[in-house]
Amino acid sequence: GENVVSGEMSNIQLAVRSRPKHRPDLFLGFDYDQLSTRFMKQMPLIEGASGHASLYDQRFVIRADQGQVTPPEGGAIAIAGTSFVVPDVTHPDPPAQVLLSVESQITAALSLLDQEPFEFLKKQGRPVTLAEGRAALNGVLEFPLKKNLLTEDVDFAISGRLSNMRSTSLVPGRILQGDALRVSVDSETLEVRGDGRLDNVPFSGSWRAPLAQNGGPSRVSGTVDINQSFADEFGVGLPKGSLSGKAKGKIDISLAKDGKGGFSLTSDLAGLGLSLPQLDWSLAPATRGELKVRGRLDTPPQIDPVSYTHLTL
């Protein structure tokens, strides 16, 4: 009565079975169309929904075959395949489940997560326009049907796939992109992981952001290809043509809420050739060493003294 704005019901089925001194068994089933309803008080309405619903043994289930939710930014979120379940409608403030299946622009998904009672991006001091691309997500939300719902009243775990993702905000001053990345989010952490590129440098790893109010910095960690392109992109300061071949390096970037942060890079340099004619010194690709680079993300990047130790096998 409070949450259903409008809709049409059809193919209504009603069955009642009653025995003396027992509560009657009731079954109600119906199709619905053009439904406009609220699934959480603070959230935008579900609109244009159609599907099927049933009530049996005090359990209510409604499934959407189509419909959408439109948050403030990013456009509509398609909810086909999503179900809303109340296991026991006779329970006071009954627990409810949303079995989520959604597809949208990444901005729209983040915009929905930034609504009350969650406000995850606001707590991180980050915009919902963190990244461009498409998101296809599945998961479960569990919460009681009560007034004044708080963030801590909602348990959820959501995961899915990001396609054609591109961000200039996750790593300030850098473009992080990937064609097919995995994403997961729960009440503590938002994580994006997979293979992509950091500017023009191949990257494999993850971005993790704590979702608590004072959860600390977000982090980008993984492996990158170290070659001449990497040196050019990150301003390592080596002369052009100093590097040949490539090696794998482990990179870790810490990002504060204000966008400032630092990075560290370590590598054994296996497969990378280094030549510095000015110093009459070179390193063959088959030679191993220990490279350590630290710096701060800025324009241009600030690089601390580079450390290299030669390893004799």
Side-chain angles (χ1 to χ4, degrees), residues 17-307:
R17 180 175 61 188
S18 179
R19 292 181 294 167
K21 299 182 180 181
H22 288 78
R23 186 174 61 186
D25 292 330
L26 170 69
F27 170 80
L28 172 66
F30 59 90
D31 295 331
Y32 67 91
D33 193 24
Q34 296 302 313
L35 174 66
S36 177
T37 186
R38 190 180 307 279
F39 68 99
M40 289 179 67
K41 183 177 180 180
Q42 300 93 327
M43 289 289 182
L45 295 175
I46 293 173
E47 297 180 299
S50 63
H52 183 78
S54 65
L55 173 65
Y56 176 67
D57 197 22
Q58 317 306 327
R59 176 183 175 88
F60 179 71
V61 179
I62 183 168
R63 174 184 167 89
D65 295 327
Q66 68 177 31
Q68 63 185 35
V69 174
T70 305
E73 296 187 61
I77 299 174
I79 64 166
T82 295
S83 297
F84 178 78
V85 181
V86 182
D88 186 353
V89 297
T90 65
H91 194 284
D93 295 335
Q97 290 182 326
V98 176
L99 306 178
L100 201 65
S101 178
V102 299
E103 186 173 351
S104 70
Q105 295 290 334
I106 294 174
T107 296
L110 293 176
S111 182
L112 192 66
L113 288 174
D114 207 33
Q115 302 307 299
E116 294 182 5
F118 305 117
E119 296 185 326
F120 289 134
L121 281 300
K122 289 186 179 72
K123 293 174 182 177
Q124 270 285 311
R126 294 181 176 275
V128 299
T129 52
L130 271 179
E132 302 170 0
R134 298 287 299 177
L137 306 174
N138 294 277
V140 179
L141 287 80
E142 297 181 329
F143 53 90
L145 294 179
K146 68 175 186 178
K147 296 181 178 180
N148 303 317
L149 195 69
L150 303 175
T151 305
E152 53 265 32
D153 295 326
V154 184
D155 291 328
F156 65 96
I158 301 170
S159 61
R161 182 176 181 269
L162 305 181
S163 57
N164 300 320
M165 191 281 284
R166 184 180 186 275
S167 173
T168 58
S169 300
L170 293 180
V171 182
R174 302 289 172 187
I175 300 175
L176 182 63
Q177 55 190 328
D179 294 331
L181 302 174
R182 302 298 301 176
V183 61
S184 60
V185 57
D186 56 29
S187 57
E188 297 181 353
T189 306
L190 170 63
E191 181 180 27
V192 179
R193 60 191 183 277
D195 298 332
R197 301 185 74 85
L198 186 59
D199 283 344
N200 291 318
V201 178
F203 173 84
S204 179
S206 67
W207 172 73
R208 292 172 58 88
L211 296 180
Q213 183 85 42
N214 299 305
S218 62
R219 308 190 76 88
V220 175
S221 58
T223 59
V224 296
D225 286 346
I226 303 176
N227 50 22
Q228 187 64 52
S229 294
F230 177 87
D232 295 341
E233 292 283 0
F234 280 81
V236 174
L238 294 173
K240 280 281 189 181
S242 298
L243 300 178
S244 59
K246 66 179 180 179
K248 291 294 184 182
K250 181 179 179 182
I251 193 168
D252 187 85
I253 303 173
S254 177
L255 300 167
K257 291 183 180 181
D258 59 7
K260 297 180 180 179
F263 72 90
S264 66
L265 172 74
T266 58
S267 174
D268 65 5
L269 298 180
L272 184 71
L274 176 60
S275 175
L276 298 175
Q278 301 88 340
L279 302 178
D280 193 26
W281 182 84
S282 63
L283 175 72
T287 306
R288 287 176 176 268
E290 185 178 48
L291 175 69
K292 295 181 180 179
V293 181
R294 294 183 181 275
R296 291 167 299 284
L297 297 172
D298 210 335
T299 307
Q302 302 297 309
I303 304 295
D304 294 338
V306 177
S307 169

